[in-house]
C-alpha cells in the first residue's frame, strides 16, 4: 500500500462532504423511508401498550431526519401519548443540525428531546457507573455499528435495557451488498482506521445467534449512482470514490494497479448493475429487529 494513502476518517470535513455526496447519489434514505412506511407500524404496534410514556433511545441519531420519521410513526400509533426521546450522538455538528430540524418541525409538542454528546460506549460506561439502568421501549441504531469496537458487548448491553414488548431496530449494510464484497476483496489493501469496522448484516446475525438473542431480518434494495466515478477529474466522482474506499483523495493517492482493479471491479455485476447508461452500486440494506 502506498504510504501516501490515508483513511478518510483522518479528515473530518472531507468525510462529511463524501457522506453528503453518498446520500445525494444513493437511495439510502428512500429505502429507509419505505421500511418506515411499510414495516415499522407493525414492529412498534405493542411497544407502548398500557404506558403513559413511551421511551425511545436513538444511538447515533445523526442530524435527526430518520429519527423524526420514526417518531411520527410512534405518534400515529399512540396519539397523544407522551414520548421521551433521548439521542446519543458524538458529533456536535450533527446534534446542532438535529436541534435545528426539531425547531422547524411541527407536531412535536408531546415529545421531549434530550441530546448526549457521546459515543454508544461512553453512554454505556456512564450508565454502568451510575448503576441506574433505565428501561427503553424502542432503541434504534441506524448505520452506526461500524464505529463500535466491541459489537457483541454493545448488543448485549442495549438488549438488557429493553422493557416489556420493546424492540431494537438496527439498520446496517446487507451481506448481499457490494460493500461486503468490496471490503472482503480490498480491505487489506486500503488504509485501515480503528474508527471503522467492516461489518455487515451477515456478521451481525451471527453475533446475535451466538448471544441467543431473538431477531428478524429484512433486506431492502438500495443503489448508489457511481457513474461520475468513471469521469476523469469529476469532483462528485472523486468524493464517491473516497467514500467507497474509505480513503482520503483515493484518486490521487492510490497505487495505479489498485486503482485500476477497483475501477474495473466496480463495473462488474457482483458490485453494480448498469441501467440506462448509469452504473448503480449495490447498496442493499438490512433492517434487523431485535426482540426483548
Amino acid at each position: 500500500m502506498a504510504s501516501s494513502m490515508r483513511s478518510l476518517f483522518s479528515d473530518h470535513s472531507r468525510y462529511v462532504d463524501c457522506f453528503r455526496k453518498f446520500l445525494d447519489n444513493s437511495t439510502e434514505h428512500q429505502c429507509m423511508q419505505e421500511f418506515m412506511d411499510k414495516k415499522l407500524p407493525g414492529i412498534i404496534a405493542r411497544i407502548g401498550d398500557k404506558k403513559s410514556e413511551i421511551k425511545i433511545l436513538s444511538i447515533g441519531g445523526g442530524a435527526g431526519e430518520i429519527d423524526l420519521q420514526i417518531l411520527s410513526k410512534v405518534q400515529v400509533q399512540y396519539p397523544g401519548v407522551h414520548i421521551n426521546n433521548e439521542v446519543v450522538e458524538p458529533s456536535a455538528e450533527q446534534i446542532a443540525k438535529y436541534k435545528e430540524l426539531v425547531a422547524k418541525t411541527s407536531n412535536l409538542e408531546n415529545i421531549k428531546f434530550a441530546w448526549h454528546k457521546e459515543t454508544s460506549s461512553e453512554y454505556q460506561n456512564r450508565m454502568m457507573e451510575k448503576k441506574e439502568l433505565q428501561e427503553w421501549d424502542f432503541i434504534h441504531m441506524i448505520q452506526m455499528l461500524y464505529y463500535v469496537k466491541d459489537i457483541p458487548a454493545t448488543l448485549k448491553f442495549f438488549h438488557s435495557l429493553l422493557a416489556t414488548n420493546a424492540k431494537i431496530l438496527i439498520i446496517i449494510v446487507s451481506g448481499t451488498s457490494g460493500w461486503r464484497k468490496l471490503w472482503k476483496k480490498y480491505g487489506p489493501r486500503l488504509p485501515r482506521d480503528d474508527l471503522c469496522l467492516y461489518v455487515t448484516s451477515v456478521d451481525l446475525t451471527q453475533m446475535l445467534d451466538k448471544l441467543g438473542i431473538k431477531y428478524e431480518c429484512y433486506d431492502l434494495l438500495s443503489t448508489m449512482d457511481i457513474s461520475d466515478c468513471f469521469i476523469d477529474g469529476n469532483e462528485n466522482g472523486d468524493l464517491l470514490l473516497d467514500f467507497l474506499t474509505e480513503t482520503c483523495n483515493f484518486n490521487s493517492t492510490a497505487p495505479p494497479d489498485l486503482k485500476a482493479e477497483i475501477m474495473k471491479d466496480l463495473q462488474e455485476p457482483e458490485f453494480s448493475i448498469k441501467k440506462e447508461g448509469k452504473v448503480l452500486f449495490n447498496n442493499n440494506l438490512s433492517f434487523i429487529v431485535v426482540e426483548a
Side-chain angles (χ1 to χ4, degrees):
M1 186 177 78
S3 58
S4 59
M5 283 176 85
R6 62 190 175 99
S7 166
L8 181 57
F9 298 97
S10 65
D11 185 334
H12 180 69
S13 62
R14 177 81 177 175
Y15 172 78
V16 170
D17 288 346
C18 292
F19 180 64
R20 284 190 187 129
K21 196 52 65 183
F22 158 71
L23 287 180
D24 289 345
N25 280 264
S26 74
T27 61
E28 174 107 345
H29 275 181
Q30 294 92 308
C31 174
M32 290 183 190
Q33 172 89 56
E34 185 189 339
F35 179 85
M36 302 304 163
D37 290 344
K38 292 182 180 173
K39 295 280 187 190
L40 192 65
I43 290 161
I44 59 170
R46 295 188 58 216
I47 63 166
D49 282 3
K50 298 175 184 164
K51 289 170 185 168
S52 58
E53 180 186 62
I54 296 170
K55 294 176 180 173
I56 297 178
L57 182 61
S58 164
I59 306 293
E65 300 102 328
I66 303 299
D67 283 24
L68 292 195
Q69 283 186 38
I70 291 171
L71 289 166
S72 73
K73 299 296 180 196
V74 177
Q75 283 178 311
V76 168
Q77 194 83 36
Y78 298 97
V81 176
H82 183 74
I83 298 168
N84 176 21
N85 185 71
E86 293 201 24
V87 183
V88 173
E89 168 56 54
S91 164
E93 185 189 354
Q94 293 288 76
I95 288 175
K97 284 186 177 164
Y98 198 137
K99 288 179 177 177
E100 279 171 30
L101 187 62
V102 167
K104 64 184 184 192
T105 304
S106 56
N107 303 323
L108 299 178
E109 295 78 18
N110 66 322
I111 304 173
K112 180 180 149 209
F113 288 89
W115 289 268
H116 308 283
K117 187 189 171 297
E118 58 192 351
T119 64
S120 64
S121 52
E122 285 165 351
Y123 173 85
Q124 186 174 331
N125 293 337
R126 182 165 64 84
M127 290 298 120
M128 299 292 269
E129 279 165 25
K130 278 169 72 178
K131 297 193 170 108
E132 293 172 20
L133 296 181
Q134 197 176 340
E135 284 196 334
W136 299 91
D137 301 306
F138 193 62
I139 300 172
H140 54 85
M141 306 172 166
I142 297 171
Q143 293 286 46
M144 57 69 63
L145 281 171
Y146 318 105
Y147 312 107
V148 170
K149 288 275 193 296
D150 188 342
I151 297 174
T154 299
L155 293 172
K156 195 174 175 184
F157 171 74
F158 285 106
H159 185 255
S160 75
L161 305 184
L162 292 179
T164 310
N165 297 328
K167 304 274 173 76
I168 299 175
L169 171 64
I170 298 166
I171 304 180
I172 197 162
V173 294
S174 167
T176 65
S177 69
W179 292 106
R180 183 164 192 249
K181 299 174 181 97
L182 195 66
W183 291 338
K184 229 175 167 178
K185 187 167 181 179
Y186 293 105
R189 294 167 68 187
L190 293 166
R192 286 309 310 266
D193 189 291
D194 286 345
L195 274 171
C196 192
L197 298 172
Y198 297 147
V199 60
T200 71
S201 60
V202 170
D203 310 294
L204 215 60
T205 52
Q206 286 172 356
M207 290 173 198
L208 290 166
D209 287 338
K210 245 183 205 172
L211 290 165
I213 293 173
K214 283 172 67 180
Y215 64 88
E216 281 190 43
C217 187
Y218 308 86
D219 262 28
L220 264 72
L221 302 178
S222 174
T223 58
M224 167 172 42
D225 184 353
I226 59 169
S227 312
D228 287 348
C229 295
F230 307 98
I231 302 168
D232 275 349
N234 184 290
E235 194 185 337
N236 289 347
D238 285 352
L239 290 168
L240 291 170
L241 262 180
D242 283 13
F243 192 76
L244 280 162
T245 59
E246 292 176 8
T247 303
C248 198
N249 299 307
F250 175 82
N251 230 339
S252 55
T253 61
D257 58 332
L258 176 63
K259 187 177 159 186
E261 277 180 62
I262 288 180
M263 298 307 283
K264 182 178 180 294
D265 263 351
L266 285 174
Q267 297 188 72
E268 296 296 327
E270 62 181 309
F271 293 94
S272 306
I273 57 164
K274 291 183 178 176
K275 194 175 178 185
E276 295 165 5
K278 292 179 176 176
V279 182
L280 304 175
F281 182 77
N282 180 332
N283 184 56
N284 290 356
L285 296 178
S286 286
F287 297 76
I288 299 171
V289 180
V290 174
E291 296 177 30

